[in-house]
Amino acid sequence: MGQWGIKSYENDDAGDALDVGFETVHGQVYEDLMDDSNPLTPEQVQEQLASPATLAASLGALEALVEEGGGQVEEWDEAAQLAYAGIAVRHAEMKVDLPAEVRDRALALLKGEGIEWEESTARRLRRDKEIRLLESARVAG
C-alpha cells in the first residue's frame, strides 16, 4: 500500500480516485487549479470544488480501480477499504453531506480497520478523529 501519511485518504488508491473524481466533475477547471503555478494548495482546490458529485465520482473511480477484485466493498482488500473510508472522510472534512450508506460503510470500515501501521499510536489517534468526524457528519437527504 502506498501510504504517505496517517490520514485514511493519504494513500495511492484514495489519492488517485479523488483526482479522477474531481477531474470527472470539473474537468479542465480542476486541472488548471491544480497547476503548480496556482498558489492554492491541492487541499484548498478540493475544498473549493467538493460536492456530492465529486464524492460519487471519486467512489466510482475507486470502484473501477479495484473492480478486477470485484465484489462488495466489504470484500475488497484492506488498502481499498481504507481508500473508500478516506474518500468519505475527505469529503466530510470539506463539509459535503454524505449519503447515510456511504457514511455508515466508512464508519464500519474504520472501526474494523486491521492494517498494521508503522506509526500505530498516531494512526489510532487519527482514526479516532476520523470516526468522530463521520459520526457528526451531515447526512444527505
Side-chain angles (χ1 to χ4, degrees):
M1 168 177 64
Q3 190 73 25
W4 61 83
I6 60 168
K7 296 175 182 174
S8 60
Y9 53 85
E10 293 178 328
N11 64 68
D12 293 339
D13 289 347
D16 291 347
L18 285 163
D19 277 339
V20 170
F22 278 87
E23 286 174 14
T24 299
V25 173
H26 296 288
Q28 192 62 46
V29 170
Y30 179 70
E31 290 183 33
D32 291 346
L33 288 171
M34 292 298 281
D35 188 84
D36 290 340
S37 64
N38 186 350
L40 296 176
T41 66
E43 292 79 14
Q44 290 170 320
V45 170
Q46 287 181 348
E47 286 170 12
Q48 285 184 353
L49 301 176
S51 67
T54 60
L55 171 63
S58 297
L59 291 174
L62 178 63
E63 186 175 334
L65 182 68
V66 297
E67 185 63 28
E68 54 209 42
Q72 298 293 322
V73 173
E74 292 77 11
E75 298 170 358
W76 294 354
D77 67 31
E78 289 180 330
Q81 290 179 353
L82 180 65
Y84 183 99
I87 291 167
V89 166
R90 182 70 183 120
H91 278 80
E93 285 180 347
M94 297 182 289
K95 308 290 189 251
V96 173
D97 292 355
L98 303 177
E101 177 182 314
V102 170
R103 186 204 57 194
D104 294 347
R105 178 175 282 145
L107 274 168
L109 293 171
L110 285 176
K111 289 177 179 179
E113 181 182 297
I115 297 173
E116 296 287 330
W117 290 80
E118 189 171 308
E119 299 178 39
S120 60
T121 300
R123 174 58 191 156
R124 181 181 48 78
L125 293 171
R126 175 60 193 189
R127 183 177 49 245
D128 291 348
K129 180 178 180 178
E130 291 177 352
I131 289 169
R132 286 190 307 275
L133 173 70
L134 288 174
E135 287 174 339
S136 67
R138 294 188 326 216
V139 176

